[in-house]
Amino acid sequence: MPDDSAPKGAGSKHQGHGFSTRMSHAGRAGTRAHGFVNPPVVRGSTVLFANCADRMASATKRYDQALTYGTGGGPNHHALEDVICEIEGGHRCQIVSTGLAAVTVPLLAFLKTGEHLLLPDSVYGPARGFADGMLARLGIETSYYDPAVDEAGMAALIRPATKVVYTESPGSHTFEMQDIPAIARAAHAKGAKVMMDNTWGIHHFQPFRHGVDVSIQALTKYVVGHSDVLLGSITVGSEEDWQALRWASLQLGQYASPDDCWLALRGVRTMPVRLKQQAESALAVAAWLARRPEVLRVLHPALPGAPGHEIWKRDFTGACSLFGLVLRPEYSVAASHAFVDSLSLFGIGASWGGYESLALPTTGFVTRTATSGDTGGPTVRLHIGLEDTADIIADLEAGLAVLRGFKG
Ligand SMILES: *Cc1c(COP(=O)(O)O)cnc(C)c1O
C-alpha cells in the first residue's frame, strides 16, 4: 500500500517555538518509525497498489507522482522537504541531488527560449557556468549586474523579456550584500520572479518575507554539516510557483538518494547548536583578524563596520561561519598561498558548512564581467569549523608570521 502518512507542504505545526525546538521536531510526525525516534530509510523505485482502481486514482494527481513511482520521492524526501519549509518559511519544497541542481532546475522551470535572466556578478561560479553554457544554448540570454544595485538601478535593467532576477546575498566569495527587498520590488513591478541562493543565510534570512519567490539552499553545507553528502533544496512561497517547479523537476527526472535525505535529517537535528557555535567562533576569529596589521579588511557582513553590515543588520537575524579575509596589498598572492599552506587546522578545499575549518585563496579564481570585484588585496575565504576558537586563532597567528616572512 502506498504510505501516504507523510505530510507534505507548509502549515507549520511548530509556530511559536524557537528554531532549535522546531529543528528537533519538524519532519518526524507522520512517518512510520515503528516507535523509534527517527523514521527509517525507505528505498524504492516501484510503489505497489492494492488494485488497479487505486492506481488510477493516484495517477490523476498530475504533479504528485510521489505516491505512484519512486522518482516523485518517498517518506525521507518528504520529511526533509517539510523541514526545509520550516527553516525557510516556505509553501512547498523540492529536494534535488545537489546544491547546483537546486540552482539549475528552477532556472529551467521559470525561463524559456527568448527570455532574459539577470544574474549578480558575485554569483556562485557554477551558476554563471550554467547560464553561459546550457541556458545560452537554449536561447536564454543572461546579463550580469552589480550586486550593489538599488531599486531604480534594477528597474532600469529589467527588459520586457526578463523573467527571472537572481540574487545571492552575500556572494559566497566576495560577501557583497544585496538589498533583496528593493530588488524584489523592482522585479515584481515588472512581472519577473525573484530567485535567491540563500545558502549563507539558512534560517537567518527569511526569503519569503523579503520578496523572494524561489529560495535555493545547498543542503550540502550546514544542514548536512559533516562534509559527506551533496544535496540541494528549492523552496517556493506559492502554489502557482510550486506547480511550475514540480513540473520541471519531474520532467528532468530529479531525484536524491533517500539515504542522503536521512543523513540530512540527522544533520538538521544538531544544526542549531553547530551553527550557533560556528557563527560565534567565526565572529570572534573575524574580529581578531580585523585588528591584525597584516589585514586590509575582513569581509564578514555580521562584523560591525564590515561591507554590507547595515543591510545584514536590517534583514538577517544571524550569520554562518563563512567569510573573507583580505590581506594588505603589499603581500603577494604567492605569500597568501604560503599563509594558507602553513595552516595546520584548515583544509584547503571548496565547499563549506561542515564541522571542520577550511581556507581557500579566491584571488584569481573568481570570474567577474559587470564589476571589477576587486577586494583590494590577496583574498582568502575562511570557513570556521567546530575546533576550539583559541586553537584556530593560534593557527592563524602562526600563519600570519609565515606571511610576513615570505620571500619570493
Ligand atoms: C556549494 C554551493 C552551491 C552548490 O552546492 P553543491 O551541493 O556543492 O552542488 C550553491 N550555492 C552556493 C552559494 C554554494 O556555496
Side-chain angles (χ1 to χ4, degrees):
M1 282 295 288
D3 181 352
D4 61 358
S5 57
K8 296 189 295 296
S12 172
K13 293 171 283 295
H14 308 285
Q15 253 144 26
H17 286 146
F19 185 61
S20 299
T21 306
R22 291 188 287 126
M23 291 305 98
S24 290
H25 289 269
R28 280 170 51 195
T31 44
R32 289 181 187 157
H34 308 286
F36 289 97
V37 172
N38 294 305
V41 176
V42 179
R43 304 184 55 86
S45 49
T46 298
V47 177
L48 299 176
F49 297 92
N51 53 52
C52 295
D54 195 21
R55 173 171 169 259
M56 292 306 286
S58 280
T60 59
K61 293 183 195 166
R62 185 169 165 208
Y63 293 115
D64 270 308
Q65 294 174 11
L67 306 177
T68 66
Y69 190 64
T71 45
N76 302 108
H77 303 86
H78 300 319
L80 182 58
E81 285 161 2
D82 277 355
V83 172
I84 305 305
C85 278
E86 190 69 42
I87 290 175
E88 296 204 285
H91 170 63
R92 292 286 291 262
C93 168
Q94 171 75 46
I95 297 297
V96 291
S97 55
T98 61
L100 179 56
V103 173
T104 60
V105 170
L107 287 173
L108 290 172
F110 293 101
L111 287 165
K112 58 181 187 294
T113 302
E115 292 181 341
H116 176 238
L117 163 69
L118 281 164
L119 281 185
D121 211 20
S122 49
V123 74
Y124 173 67
R128 181 184 284 268
F130 183 70
D132 296 347
M134 193 72 81
L135 291 186
R137 207 173 71 161
L138 293 173
I140 296 162
E141 192 192 342
T142 300
S143 303
Y144 293 90
Y145 68 89
D146 182 347
V149 70
D150 62 9
E151 186 173 347
M154 177 50 72
L157 292 170
I158 298 174
R159 312 172 187 171
T162 308
K163 295 300 169 203
V164 173
V165 175
Y166 191 100
T167 61
E168 183 179 330
S169 182
S172 65
H173 282 295
T174 45
F175 302 94
E176 289 148 284
M177 294 297 294
Q178 296 198 259
D179 191 341
I180 303 293
I183 291 169
R185 280 194 299 274
H188 291 157
K190 300 205 174 172
K193 296 276 179 208
V194 178
M195 281 176 55
M196 178 176 183
D197 185 329
N198 193 30
T199 304
W200 195 93
I202 320 168
H203 75 107
H204 296 123
F205 183 82
Q206 290 289 294
F208 304 104
R209 287 192 201 156
H210 291 90
V212 173
D213 301 299
V214 181
S215 182
I216 292 156
Q217 292 263 0
L219 306 182
T220 306
K221 309 293 160 55
Y222 296 94
V223 171
V224 165
H226 295 73
S227 309
D228 49 10
V229 171
L230 290 155
L231 215 54
S233 67
I234 310 151
T235 306
V236 292
S238 74
E239 180 60 24
E240 184 197 338
D241 289 346
W242 169 249
Q243 295 294 328
L245 172 69
R246 182 69 169 162
W247 175 80
S249 182
L250 288 170
Q251 289 252 312
L252 290 164
Q254 277 294 328
Y255 185 70
S257 154
D259 299 79
D260 289 347
C261 293
W262 188 90
L263 283 165
L265 282 165
R266 167 190 266 241
V268 92
R269 308 303 176 199
T270 57
M271 185 177 75
V273 280
R274 284 187 284 106
L275 252 185
K276 188 161 176 276
Q277 181 59 52
Q278 288 177 251
E280 191 181 303
S281 188
L283 208 51
V285 172
W288 179 83
L289 284 168
R291 292 192 298 268
R292 292 289 309 196
E294 302 88 345
V295 173
L296 181 67
R297 65 175 68 91
V298 174
L299 307 175
H300 191 321
L303 193 67
H309 181 67
E310 292 309 314
I311 291 181
W312 175 83
K313 213 162 72 178
R314 185 191 70 189
D315 294 346
F316 285 61
T317 56
C320 70
S321 67
L322 186 80
F323 64 93
L325 164 65
V326 185
L327 299 166
R328 290 198 164 277
E330 55 262 37
Y331 298 108
S332 64
V333 171
S336 75
H337 289 183
F339 159 71
V340 168
D341 288 347
S342 77
L343 300 173
S344 64
L345 296 179
F346 288 77
I348 303 170
S351 205
W352 41 285
Y355 58 85
E356 84 293 5
S357 290
L358 295 167
L360 193 70
T362 55
T363 305
F365 275 88
V366 181
T367 305
R368 304 282 288 218
T369 51
T371 51
S372 82
D374 183 15
T375 48
T379 304
V380 177
R381 185 177 79 172
L382 296 178
H383 169 261
I384 304 302
L386 286 169
E387 301 90 342
D388 290 289
T389 313
D391 293 337
I392 293 171
I393 288 177
D395 198 23
L396 290 168
E397 188 163 23
L400 290 174
V402 170
L403 176 83
R404 287 193 307 274
F406 182 80
K407 307 258 186 299

